[in-house]
Amino acid sequence: MAASLGGFFLPATALASSATYTVRAGDSLYAIAAKFHVTVHQLELWNHLSSDVIHPGQVLVVSQGGSQARPSSASSSSRTGASTYVVQPGDSLWSISEKFHITVSQLEAWNGLVSSSTLRPGESLRVAKPSSSPPSSSHHADTQQVSLTSRGSSPGSSNASLTQSALGFAVADYARTFLGDPYEWGANGPSAFDCSGLIQYVFAHFYIQLPRTSYAQYEVGVPVSESSLQPGDIVFFDTYGSGPSHDGIYLGNGQFINAASTSVQIDSLSDPYWADHYIGARRVIGQNG
């Protein structure tokens, strides 16, 4: 017997001596790596993966040579008294705050960061309040925040308070996990998407419910000028005549991710085709009434 790992076959004896994990809908290599305290590179190496594309039902080796890998939890990290965390590839301020049940604002304050700060793998972040931490200054009081229930948490767990811009970066990061997934008209995930299906699926992950079509999505949120675009904004195009027949998620630096042609891909707003068909953008993050 042999077990299939994304097109590569591992002998059953190899699986018997290693811990395995079955991919679920919405999983990414980064999320699985964080869960089992390994790196994305190790997952790719152990499973002979040539890309970070994975699919529900796929069996992955998550430890080498039978080491007893166990899913991590923020509570277990707290019990060990961990006060610092080493940034892993794919991390964002949002994902780290969720892991340790703290807010993005706290991470920023404890580490001298702002929501647009770039995290680098190997960088050490403080994830617990410093004993000599000064009281919060009043100038933080006007920071716009949005409260959402943490993904995967129990109904009774406390809400995580996130700054609007940090949540935008988190939405953009999550959308990137579907890069390369196939395009299919009318598909809304998790294994294939059309343009508005990708938008709806990604935002639903953050408990932001959007209509199904690009035309209806164009009617929600608030309009944003092209010069004011932020990660997480939805950009719209008239690819089939008049009206918002296509949309994508803005990533920053003039780029957006969208399900188009044959797969989920990243394109540039400055590309002549997209620039010619661009009709506007909407911001739904922070517009929850």
Side-chain angles (χ1 to χ4, degrees), residues 130-214:
S131 56
S132 59
S133 177
S136 299
S137 301
S138 59
H139 75 272
H140 290 300
D142 61 351
T143 300
Q144 185 175 9
Q145 293 187 328
V146 54
S147 181
L148 299 174
T149 301
S150 298
R151 302 193 305 275
S153 60
S154 61
S157 63
S158 61
N159 286 347
S161 182
L162 310 172
T163 63
Q164 177 177 324
S165 58
L167 181 54
F169 277 97
V171 168
D173 285 345
Y174 183 64
R176 285 189 181 94
T177 66
F178 300 102
L179 191 62
D181 280 10
Y183 172 88
E184 182 181 320
W185 179 267
N188 58 357
S191 57
F193 300 92
D194 65 10
C195 65
S196 55
L198 175 67
I199 305 295
Q200 186 186 54
Y201 189 90
V202 168
F203 278 92
H205 190 65
F206 296 89
Y207 292 86
I208 298 175
Q209 304 302 322
L210 297 179
R212 176 62 181 86
T213 70
S214 58

Side-chain angles (χ1 to χ4, degrees), residues 257-276:
I257 189 167
N258 64 130
S261 184
T262 61
S263 65
V264 177
Q265 60 193 47
I266 293 176
D267 290 299
S268 173
L269 290 176
S270 62
D271 178 275
Y273 175 83
W274 295 113
D276 187 51

Side-chain angles (χ1 to χ4, degrees), residues 209-211 215-223 234 236 282-284:
Q209 304 302 322
L210 297 179
Y215 295 92
Q217 290 169 1
Y218 191 64
E219 300 300 320
V220 301
V222 296
I234 306 175
F236 294 87
R282 310 288 292 188
R283 180 168 299 156
V284 299

